[in-house]
Coordinates of all heavy atoms in Angstrom, one line a residue:
G13 N 298.0 237.7 11.1 CA 299.3 237.1 11.1 C 299.8 236.5 12.3 O 299.1 236.6 13.4
Q14 N 300.8 235.8 12.4 CA 301.4 235.1 13.5 C 302.3 236.2 14.3 O 303.2 236.8 13.7 CB 302.2 233.9 13.0 CG 302.7 232.9 14.1 CD 301.5 232.0 14.4 OE1 300.5 231.9 14.0 NE2 301.9 231.1 15.5
C15 N 302.1 236.2 15.5 CA 303.0 236.9 16.3 C 303.4 236.1 17.7 O 302.7 235.1 18.0 CB 302.4 238.2 16.8 SG 300.9 238.3 17.4
H16 N 304.3 236.5 18.4 CA 304.8 235.8 19.6 C 304.5 236.7 20.9 O 304.9 237.9 20.8 CB 306.2 235.2 19.5 CG 306.3 234.1 18.4 ND1 306.6 234.3 17.1 CD2 306.1 232.8 18.6 CE1 306.4 233.2 16.5 NE2 306.3 232.2 17.4
V17 N 304.2 236.0 21.9 CA 304.0 236.6 23.3 C 305.4 237.1 23.7 O 306.5 236.3 23.6 CB 303.4 235.8 24.3 CG1 303.2 236.5 25.6 CG2 302.0 235.3 23.6
I18 N 305.6 238.4 24.1 CA 306.8 239.0 24.6 C 306.9 239.2 26.0 O 308.0 239.6 26.7 CB 307.1 240.3 23.7 CG1 306.0 241.4 24.0 CG2 307.3 240.1 22.4 CD1 306.3 242.7 23.6
A19 N 305.8 239.0 26.7 CA 305.7 239.2 28.1 C 304.4 238.5 28.6 O 303.5 238.3 28.0 CB 305.6 240.7 28.6
L20 N 304.7 237.7 29.9 CA 303.5 237.1 30.5 C 302.3 238.0 30.5 O 302.3 239.1 30.9 CB 303.9 236.7 31.9 CG 302.9 235.9 32.7 CD1 302.6 234.5 32.0 CD2 303.2 235.8 34.1
T21 N 301.2 237.5 29.9 CA 300.0 238.4 29.8 C 298.8 237.5 29.9 O 298.8 236.3 30.0 CB 300.1 239.0 28.3 OG1 299.2 240.2 28.4 CG2 299.9 238.1 27.2
L22 N 297.6 238.2 29.9 CA 296.3 237.5 30.0 C 295.8 237.3 28.5 O 295.8 238.2 27.7 CB 295.3 238.6 30.8 CG 295.6 238.6 32.3 CD1 294.6 239.5 32.9 CD2 295.3 237.2 32.9
F23 N 294.9 236.3 28.6 CA 294.2 235.9 27.4 C 292.8 235.5 27.9 O 292.8 234.6 28.7 CB 294.8 234.8 26.7 CG 294.2 234.3 25.4 CD1 294.4 234.8 24.3 CD2 293.2 233.2 25.4 CE1 293.7 234.5 23.1 CE2 292.6 232.8 24.3 CZ 292.9 233.3 23.1
C24 N 291.7 236.0 27.4 CA 290.4 235.7 27.7 C 289.6 235.5 26.5 O 289.8 236.1 25.5 CB 289.7 237.0 28.7 SG 290.5 237.0 30.3
R25 N 288.5 234.8 26.7 CA 287.6 234.4 25.5 C 286.8 235.6 25.0 O 286.6 235.8 23.9 CB 286.6 233.3 25.8 CG 287.4 231.9 26.0 CD 286.3 230.9 26.3 NE 287.0 229.6 26.6 CZ 287.4 228.6 25.8 NH1 287.1 228.9 24.5 NH2 287.9 227.5 26.1
T26 N 286.4 236.5 26.0 CA 285.6 237.7 25.6 C 286.3 239.0 26.1 O 287.0 239.1 27.2 CB 284.2 237.6 26.1 OG1 284.3 237.8 27.6 CG2 283.6 236.2 25.7
P27 N 286.0 240.2 25.6 CA 286.6 241.4 26.0 C 285.9 241.7 27.3 O 286.6 242.4 28.3 CB 286.1 242.5 25.0 CG 285.9 241.8 23.8 CD 285.5 240.4 24.1
Q28 N 284.7 241.3 27.8 CA 284.0 241.7 28.8 C 284.7 240.8 30.0 O 284.7 241.3 31.2 CB 282.6 241.0 28.9 CG 281.7 241.9 27.9 CD 281.9 241.5 26.4 OE1 282.5 240.6 26.0 NE2 281.4 242.3 25.5
Q29 N 285.3 239.6 29.8 CA 286.0 238.9 30.8 C 287.2 239.6 31.2 O 287.6 239.8 32.4 CB 286.2 237.4 30.4 CG 284.9 236.6 30.3 CD 285.1 235.4 29.5 OE1 286.0 235.4 28.7 NE2 284.2 234.4 29.7
M30 N 288.0 240.0 30.2 CA 289.2 240.8 30.4 C 288.8 242.1 31.2 O 289.6 242.5 32.2 CB 289.7 241.2 29.0 CG 291.1 241.8 29.3 SD 292.4 240.7 29.6 CE 292.8 239.8 28.1
A31 N 287.8 242.8 30.9 CA 287.4 244.0 31.6 C 287.0 243.7 33.1 O 287.3 244.6 34.1 CB 286.2 244.6 30.9
A32 N 286.4 242.6 33.3 CA 286.0 242.3 34.7 C 287.2 242.0 35.5 O 287.3 242.4 36.7 CB 285.2 240.9 34.6
I33 N 288.3 241.5 35.1 CA 289.6 241.2 35.7 C 290.2 242.6 35.9 O 290.5 242.9 37.0 CB 290.7 240.3 35.0 CG1 289.9 238.9 34.9 CG2 292.0 240.3 35.7 CD1 290.7 238.0 34.0
L34 N 290.4 243.4 34.9 CA 291.1 244.6 34.9 C 290.2 245.7 35.9 O 291.0 246.7 36.3 CB 291.4 245.2 33.6 CG 292.3 244.3 32.7 CD1 292.6 244.9 31.3 CD2 293.7 244.1 33.4
S35 N 289.0 245.5 36.0 CA 288.3 246.5 36.8 C 288.5 246.3 38.2 O 288.3 247.3 39.0 CB 286.8 246.4 36.4 OG 286.5 246.8 35.1
Q36 N 289.1 245.3 38.6 CA 289.5 245.0 40.1 C 290.8 245.6 40.4 O 291.8 245.6 39.5 CB 289.6 243.6 40.4 CG 288.2 242.8 40.1 CD 287.1 243.1 40.9 OE1 287.2 243.6 42.0 NE2 286.0 243.3 40.3
R37 N 291.0 246.2 41.6 CA 292.3 246.7 41.9 C 293.2 245.5 42.0 O 293.0 244.5 42.4 CB 292.2 247.4 43.3 CG 291.4 248.6 43.4 CD 291.7 249.5 44.6 NE 291.1 250.7 44.6 CZ 291.4 251.9 44.0 NH1 292.5 251.8 43.2 NH2 290.8 253.0 44.0
P38 N 294.6 245.9 41.6 CA 295.6 244.8 41.7 C 295.7 244.3 43.2 O 295.5 245.0 44.3 CB 296.9 245.5 41.4 CG 296.5 246.6 40.5 CD 295.1 247.0 41.0
G39 N 295.7 243.1 43.4 CA 295.7 242.4 44.8 C 294.8 241.3 44.8 O 294.5 240.7 43.9
P40 N 294.2 241.1 46.1 CA 293.4 239.8 46.2 C 292.1 239.9 45.3 O 291.7 238.8 44.9 CB 293.0 239.9 47.7 CG 294.1 240.7 48.3 CD 294.6 241.7 47.3
A41 N 291.5 240.9 45.3 CA 290.2 241.0 44.5 C 290.4 240.6 43.0 O 289.7 239.8 42.4 CB 289.5 242.4 44.5
R42 N 291.5 241.2 42.4 CA 291.8 240.8 41.0 C 292.2 239.4 41.0 O 291.8 238.6 40.0 CB 292.9 241.6 40.5 CG 293.3 241.5 39.0 CD 294.2 242.5 38.5 NE 293.7 243.7 38.2 CZ 294.4 244.7 37.7 NH1 295.6 244.6 37.3 NH2 293.9 246.0 37.4
K43 N 293.0 238.9 41.9 CA 293.4 237.5 41.8 C 292.1 236.5 42.0 O 292.1 235.5 41.3 CB 294.5 237.1 42.8 CG 295.8 237.8 42.6 CD 296.8 237.5 43.7 CE 298.0 238.2 43.5 NZ 299.0 237.9 44.6
Q44 N 291.2 237.0 42.8 CA 290.0 236.2 42.9 C 289.2 236.0 41.6 O 288.7 234.9 41.3 CB 289.2 236.6 44.1 CG 287.9 235.8 44.4 CD 287.2 236.5 45.6 OE1 287.5 237.5 46.0 NE2 286.4 235.7 46.2
V45 N 289.0 237.1 40.9 CA 288.2 237.2 39.6 C 289.0 236.3 38.7 O 288.5 235.5 38.0 CB 288.0 238.6 39.2 CG1 287.5 238.6 37.8 CG2 287.2 239.3 40.1
L46 N 290.4 236.5 38.5 CA 291.2 235.7 37.6 C 291.2 234.3 37.9 O 291.0 233.6 37.0 CB 292.6 236.2 37.6 CG 293.6 235.4 36.8 CD1 293.2 235.5 35.3 CD2 295.0 236.0 36.9
A47 N 291.1 233.9 39.2 CA 291.1 232.5 39.6 C 289.7 232.0 39.1 O 289.6 230.8 38.6 CB 291.3 232.3 41.1
A48 N 288.6 232.7 39.2 CA 287.3 232.1 38.9 C 287.2 231.9 37.5 O 286.8 230.9 37.0 CB 286.3 233.1 39.5
L49 N 287.7 232.8 36.6 CA 287.6 232.9 35.3 C 288.6 231.9 34.7 O 288.4 231.1 33.6 CB 287.8 234.2 34.6 CG 286.7 235.2 34.8 CD1 287.1 236.5 34.4 CD2 285.5 234.8 34.0
S50 N 289.7 231.5 35.4 CA 290.7 230.5 35.0 C 290.1 229.2 35.3 O 290.3 228.3 34.5 CB 292.1 230.8 35.8 OG 292.6 232.0 35.3
A51 N 289.5 228.9 36.4 CA 288.9 227.7 36.7 C 287.8 227.4 35.6 O 287.6 226.1 35.5 CB 288.2 227.9 38.1
S52 N 287.0 228.2 35.1 CA 286.1 227.9 34.1 C 286.7 227.9 32.7 O 285.9 227.7 31.7 CB 284.9 228.9 34.1 OG 285.4 230.3 33.9
D53 N 288.0 228.0 32.5 CA 288.7 228.0 31.3 C 288.4 229.1 30.4 O 288.5 229.0 29.2 CB 288.4 226.7 30.8 CG 289.8 226.2 29.7 OD1 290.9 226.8 30.0 OD2 289.5 225.5 28.8
D54 N 287.9 230.4 31.0 CA 287.6 231.4 30.2 C 288.7 232.4 30.0 O 288.9 233.1 29.1 CB 286.2 232.3 30.8 CG 285.1 231.4 30.6 OD1 284.8 231.0 29.4 OD2 284.2 231.4 31.6
C55 N 289.6 232.4 31.0 CA 290.8 233.2 30.9 C 292.0 232.5 31.4 O 291.9 231.5 32.1 CB 290.7 234.4 31.8 SG 289.5 235.6 31.3
R56 N 293.2 232.8 31.0 CA 294.5 232.2 31.5 C 295.6 233.1 31.2 O 295.5 234.0 30.4 CB 294.7 230.9 30.7 CG 295.0 231.0 29.1 CD 295.2 229.8 28.3 NE 294.1 229.3 27.8 CZ 294.1 228.5 26.8 NH1 295.2 228.0 26.3 NH2 293.1 228.0 26.1
K57 N 296.6 232.8 31.8 CA 298.0 233.5 31.7 C 298.6 232.9 30.5 O 298.8 231.6 30.5 CB 298.8 233.6 33.1 CG 298.1 234.6 34.0 CD 299.0 234.5 35.3 CE 298.4 235.4 36.3 NZ 299.2 235.5 37.6
V58 N 299.3 233.6 29.7 CA 300.0 233.0 28.5 C 301.5 233.5 28.7 O 301.8 234.7 28.9 CB 299.4 233.4 27.2 CG1 300.3 233.0 26.0 CG2 298.1 233.0 27.1
G59 N 302.5 232.6 28.6 CA 303.9 232.9 28.7 C 304.7 233.4 27.5 O 304.2 233.2 26.4
T60 N 305.8 234.0 27.7 CA 306.7 234.5 26.7 C 306.9 233.4 25.7 O 307.1 232.3 26.2 CB 307.9 234.9 27.2 OG1 307.5 235.9 28.3 CG2 308.9 235.5 26.2
G61 N 307.0 233.7 24.4 CA 307.4 232.7 23.3 C 306.2 232.1 22.7 O 306.3 231.5 21.6
Q62 N 305.1 232.0 23.4 CA 303.9 231.2 22.8 C 303.4 232.0 21.6 O 303.5 233.3 21.6 CB 302.8 231.1 23.8 CG 303.2 230.1 24.8 CD 302.0 229.7 25.8 OE1 301.0 229.2 25.2 NE2 302.2 229.6 27.1
A63 N 302.7 231.5 20.6 CA 302.3 232.0 19.4 C 300.8 232.5 19.6 O 300.0 231.7 20.2 CB 302.4 231.1 18.2
L64 N 300.6 233.5 18.9 CA 299.2 234.1 18.8 C 299.0 234.3 17.3 O 299.7 235.0 16.7 CB 299.0 235.3 19.6 CG 297.5 236.0 19.5 CD1 296.5 235.1 20.2 CD2 297.6 237.5 19.9
H65 N 297.8 233.7 16.9 CA 297.4 234.0 15.3 C 296.5 235.3 15.4 O 295.3 235.0 15.8 CB 296.7 232.9 14.7 CG 296.4 233.1 13.3 ND1 297.4 233.2 12.4 CD2 295.3 233.2 12.8 CE1 296.8 233.4 11.2 NE2 295.5 233.6 11.3
W66 N 297.0 236.5 15.0 CA 296.2 237.7 15.1 C 295.1 237.6 14.0 O 295.5 237.4 12.8 CB 297.2 238.8 14.8 CG 296.6 240.1 15.1 CD1 295.4 240.7 15.0 CD2 297.4 241.3 15.7 NE1 295.4 242.0 15.3 CE2 296.6 242.4 15.7 CE3 298.8 241.4 15.9 CZ2 297.1 243.6 16.1 CZ3 299.2 242.7 16.4 CH2 298.3 243.8 16.4
T67 N 293.9 237.8 14.4 CA 292.8 237.5 13.5 C 291.9 238.7 13.0 O 291.1 238.7 12.1 CB 291.8 236.5 14.0 OG1 291.2 236.9 15.2 CG2 292.4 235.0 14.1
A68 N 291.9 239.8 13.9 CA 291.1 241.0 13.6 C 291.7 242.2 13.9 O 292.8 242.2 14.8 CB 289.8 240.8 14.2
P69 N 291.3 243.5 13.7 CA 291.9 244.7 14.2 C 291.8 244.7 15.7 O 291.0 244.1 16.4 CB 290.9 246.0 13.6 CG 290.4 245.1 12.5 CD 290.2 243.7 12.8
I70 N 292.7 245.6 16.4 CA 292.8 245.7 17.8 C 291.4 246.3 18.2 O 290.9 247.3 17.5 CB 293.9 246.6 18.2 CG1 295.3 246.0 17.9 CG2 293.9 247.2 19.6 CD1 296.5 246.9 18.1
T71 N 291.0 245.9 19.4 CA 289.8 246.5 20.1 C 290.1 247.1 21.5 O 291.2 246.8 22.1 CB 288.7 245.3 20.2 OG1 287.5 245.9 20.6 CG2 289.1 244.3 21.2
T72 N 289.2 247.9 21.9 CA 289.6 248.6 23.2 C 288.5 248.2 24.1 O 287.4 248.0 23.7 CB 289.9 250.1 23.1 OG1 288.6 250.7 22.6 CG2 290.9 250.4 22.2
I73 N 288.9 248.3 25.5 CA 288.0 248.1 26.5 C 288.2 249.2 27.6 O 289.3 249.7 27.6 CB 288.0 246.7 27.3 CG1 289.3 246.4 27.8 CG2 287.5 245.7 26.4 CD1 289.4 245.2 28.8
Q74 N 287.3 249.5 28.3 CA 287.5 250.5 29.4 C 287.0 249.9 30.7 O 285.8 250.0 31.1 CB 286.3 251.7 29.2 CG 286.5 252.9 30.2 CD 287.9 253.5 30.3 OE1 288.3 254.2 29.4 NE2 288.7 253.4 31.4
P75 N 287.9 249.4 31.3 CA 287.9 248.8 32.7 C 287.5 249.8 33.8 O 288.0 251.0 33.7 CB 289.1 248.1 33.0 CG 289.9 248.0 31.9 CD 289.5 249.1 30.9
Q76 N 286.5 249.5 34.6 CA 286.1 250.5 35.5 C 287.3 251.0 36.5 O 288.1 250.1 36.9 CB 285.0 249.9 36.5 CG 284.4 250.7 37.6 CD 283.4 250.0 38.4 OE1 282.9 249.1 37.9 NE2 283.0 250.7 39.4
G77 N 287.5 252.3 36.5 CA 288.5 252.8 37.3 C 290.0 252.6 36.6 O 290.9 253.0 37.5
E78 N 290.1 252.2 35.5 CA 291.4 251.9 34.9 C 291.5 252.7 33.6 O 290.5 253.2 33.0 CB 291.7 250.5 34.7 CG 291.7 249.7 35.9 CD 293.0 249.9 36.7 OE1 294.0 250.1 36.0 OE2 293.0 249.9 37.9
A79 N 292.7 252.8 33.0 CA 293.0 253.3 31.7 C 292.4 252.4 30.6 O 292.2 251.2 30.9 CB 294.4 253.5 31.6
V80 N 292.0 252.9 29.5 CA 291.6 252.1 28.3 C 292.6 251.0 28.1 O 293.9 251.4 28.2 CB 291.5 252.9 27.1 CG1 291.3 252.1 25.9 CG2 290.3 253.9 27.2
A81 N 292.2 249.8 27.7 CA 293.2 248.7 27.5 C 292.9 248.3 26.0 O 291.8 248.2 25.5 CB 292.9 247.6 28.5
E82 N 294.0 248.0 25.4 CA 293.9 247.6 24.0 C 294.3 245.9 23.9 O 295.1 245.5 24.6 CB 295.1 248.3 23.0 CG 294.8 249.7 23.1 CD 295.9 250.4 22.1 OE1 297.0 250.2 22.4 OE2 295.4 251.0 21.1
L83 N 293.3 245.4 23.2 CA 293.2 243.9 23.0 C 293.4 243.4 21.6 O 292.8 244.1 20.8 CB 291.9 243.3 23.5 CG 291.5 243.8 25.0 CD1 290.0 243.2 25.2 CD2 292.5 243.4 26.0
V84 N 294.1 242.4 21.4 CA 294.5 241.9 20.1 C 293.6 240.6 20.0 O 293.7 239.6 20.9 CB 296.0 241.5 20.0 CG1 296.2 240.6 18.7 CG2 296.9 242.7 20.1
P85 N 292.7 240.5 19.0 CA 291.8 239.3 18.9 C 292.6 238.3 18.2 O 293.5 238.7 17.3 CB 290.8 239.8 18.0 CG 290.8 241.4 17.9 CD 292.4 241.6 18.3
G86 N 292.5 237.0 18.4 CA 293.3 236.0 17.9 C 293.1 234.7 18.5 O 292.1 234.4 19.3
S87 N 293.9 233.8 18.1 CA 293.7 232.4 18.6 C 295.1 231.9 19.0 O 296.1 232.1 18.4 CB 293.1 231.4 17.5 OG 293.9 231.3 16.3
L88 N 295.0 231.0 20.0 CA 296.3 230.3 20.5 C 296.7 229.2 19.8 O 295.7 228.7 18.9 CB 296.1 230.0 22.0 CG 295.9 231.2 22.9 CD1 295.7 230.7 24.3 CD2 297.1 232.2 22.8
A89 N 297.8 228.6 19.8 CA 298.2 227.4 19.2 C 297.3 226.3 19.3 O 297.0 225.4 18.4 CB 299.6 226.9 19.5
D90 N 296.5 226.1 20.5 CA 295.5 225.1 20.6 C 294.1 225.3 20.0 O 293.4 224.5 20.1 CB 295.3 224.8 22.2 CG 294.8 225.9 23.0 OD1 294.4 226.9 22.4 OD2 294.6 225.7 24.2
G91 N 294.0 226.5 19.4 CA 292.8 226.8 18.5 C 291.9 227.6 19.5 O 290.9 228.1 19.0
T92 N 292.1 228.0 20.7 CA 291.2 228.8 21.6 C 291.2 230.2 21.1 O 292.3 230.8 20.8 CB 291.9 228.8 23.1 OG1 292.0 227.5 23.4 CG2 290.8 229.6 23.9
Q93 N 290.1 230.7 20.8 CA 289.9 232.0 20.3 C 289.6 232.9 21.4 O 289.0 232.6 22.4 CB 288.5 232.0 19.5 CG 288.5 231.2 18.2 CD 289.3 231.8 17.0 OE1 289.2 233.1 16.9 NE2 290.0 231.0 16.2
G94 N 290.1 234.2 21.4 CA 289.9 235.1 22.5 C 290.6 236.4 22.1 O 290.9 236.8 21.0
F95 N 291.1 237.1 23.3 CA 291.7 238.4 23.2 C 292.8 238.4 24.1 O 292.7 238.0 25.3 CB 290.6 239.4 23.7 CG 289.5 239.6 22.8 CD1 288.4 238.6 22.8 CD2 289.5 240.4 21.6 CE1 287.3 238.8 21.9 CE2 288.4 240.5 20.8 CZ 287.3 239.7 20.9
M96 N 293.9 239.0 23.7 CA 295.2 239.1 24.6 C 295.4 240.6 24.8 O 295.2 241.4 23.8 CB 296.4 238.5 24.0 CG 297.6 238.4 24.6 SD 298.9 237.4 24.0 CE 298.2 235.9 24.2
L97 N 296.0 241.0 25.9 CA 296.5 242.4 26.2 C 297.6 242.7 25.2 O 298.6 241.9 25.0 CB 296.9 242.6 27.5 CG 295.9 242.5 28.7 CD1 296.5 242.4 30.0 CD2 295.1 243.8 28.5
K98 N 297.3 243.8 24.4 CA 298.4 244.3 23.3 C 299.8 244.4 23.9 O 300.6 244.0 23.2 CB 297.9 245.7 22.8 CG 298.7 246.1 21.7 CD 298.3 247.4 21.2 CE 299.5 248.4 21.2 NZ 299.1 249.7 20.8
D99 N 300.0 244.8 25.1 CA 301.3 245.0 25.7 C 301.9 243.5 25.8 O 303.3 243.5 25.9 CB 301.3 245.6 27.2 CG 300.9 247.0 27.0 OD1 300.8 247.5 25.8 OD2 300.6 247.6 28.0
G100 N 301.3 242.4 25.7 CA 301.9 241.2 25.7 C 302.4 240.7 24.5 O 303.3 239.7 24.4
V101 N 302.1 241.4 23.4 CA 302.5 240.9 22.1 C 303.2 242.2 21.1 O 303.8 241.8 20.2 CB 301.4 240.2 21.2 CG1 301.1 239.0 21.7 CG2 300.2 241.1 21.0
I102 N 302.9 243.3 21.6 CA 303.5 244.4 20.8 C 304.3 245.3 21.8 O 303.7 245.8 22.8 CB 302.5 245.3 20.1 CG1 301.6 244.4 19.1 CG2 303.1 246.5 19.4 CD1 300.5 245.2 18.4
A103 N 305.6 245.5 21.6 CA 306.4 246.3 22.4 C 305.9 247.8 22.4 O 305.5 248.2 21.4 CB 307.9 246.3 22.1
R104 N 305.9 248.5 23.6 CA 305.5 249.9 23.5 C 306.6 250.6 22.9 O 307.7 250.4 23.1 CB 305.3 250.3 25.0 CG 304.2 249.7 25.7 CD 304.1 250.4 27.2 NE 303.2 249.7 27.8 CZ 302.3 250.2 28.8 NH1 302.4 251.4 29.0 NH2 301.5 249.5 29.4
S105 N 306.1 251.7 22.2 CA 307.1 252.6 21.6 C 307.6 253.5 22.5 O 307.0 254.1 23.4 CB 306.5 253.4 20.5 OG 305.5 254.1 20.8
G106 N 309.1 253.6 22.7 CA 309.6 254.3 23.6 C 309.6 255.8 23.3 O 310.1 256.6 24.1
G107 N 309.3 256.3 22.2 CA 309.4 257.7 21.6 C 308.4 258.8 22.5 O 308.7 259.8 22.6
A108 N 307.1 258.4 22.5 CA 306.3 259.3 23.0 C 306.0 259.2 24.5 O 305.8 258.1 25.1 CB 304.9 258.9 22.3
P109 N 306.0 260.3 25.2 CA 305.8 260.4 26.6 C 304.3 260.1 27.0 O 303.4 260.4 26.1 CB 306.1 261.8 27.1 CG 306.1 262.5 25.8 CD 306.3 261.7 24.8
R110 N 304.1 259.4 28.0 CA 302.6 259.2 28.4 C 302.2 260.1 29.6 O 302.7 260.4 30.4 CB 302.6 257.7 28.8 CG 302.8 256.8 27.8 CD 302.4 255.4 28.0 NE 302.3 254.6 26.7 CZ 301.3 254.1 26.2 NH1 300.2 254.1 26.9 NH2 301.4 253.4 25.2

């Protein structure tokens, strides 16, 4: 189904590319990996309001040293297929403590 991005988030062509970014500590190392994958057009930041066509069940990745991340498989308006961080398209439920 069609959904809209609710927060600036990452979109990558493969779960492995997303894991490579998220496995880096926030800061210069993560920015460097993101810049390299963005330059090759494998990953990009997607802004609020853009559409994502959800195409398959949510998948999970385990980035090194980080919590499990949930990814929504889908395609962007330009037809690019890939995976988006779930938090960018589905609001977290406020009921359960983490």
Side-chain angles (χ1 to χ4, degrees):
Q14 190 85 359
C15 52
H16 289 88
V17 176
I18 59 171
L20 181 67
T21 193
L22 285 177
F23 180 87
C24 291
R25 291 184 189 267
T26 70
Q28 294 79 14
Q29 292 162 337
M30 186 76 75
I33 293 168
L34 298 178
S35 292
Q36 302 299 318
R37 290 196 178 276
R42 184 176 283 183
K43 288 179 183 175
Q44 185 175 13
V45 173
L46 176 58
L49 290 171
S50 295
S52 63
D53 207 26
D54 287 318
C55 294
R56 67 177 100 161
K57 290 182 181 179
V58 178
T60 304
Q62 292 195 44
L64 175 76
H65 182 71
W66 193 325
T67 58
I70 290 173
T71 188
T72 59
I73 57 172
Q74 177 66 60
Q76 184 178 345
E78 295 288 326
V80 170
E82 294 180 302
L83 306 178
V84 175
S87 59
L88 298 176
D90 66 3
T92 304
Q93 299 279 328
F95 297 83
M96 182 173 288
L97 288 169
K98 183 181 124 186
D99 290 349
V101 289
I102 299 175
R104 289 182 192 220
S105 61
R110 290 192 169 240

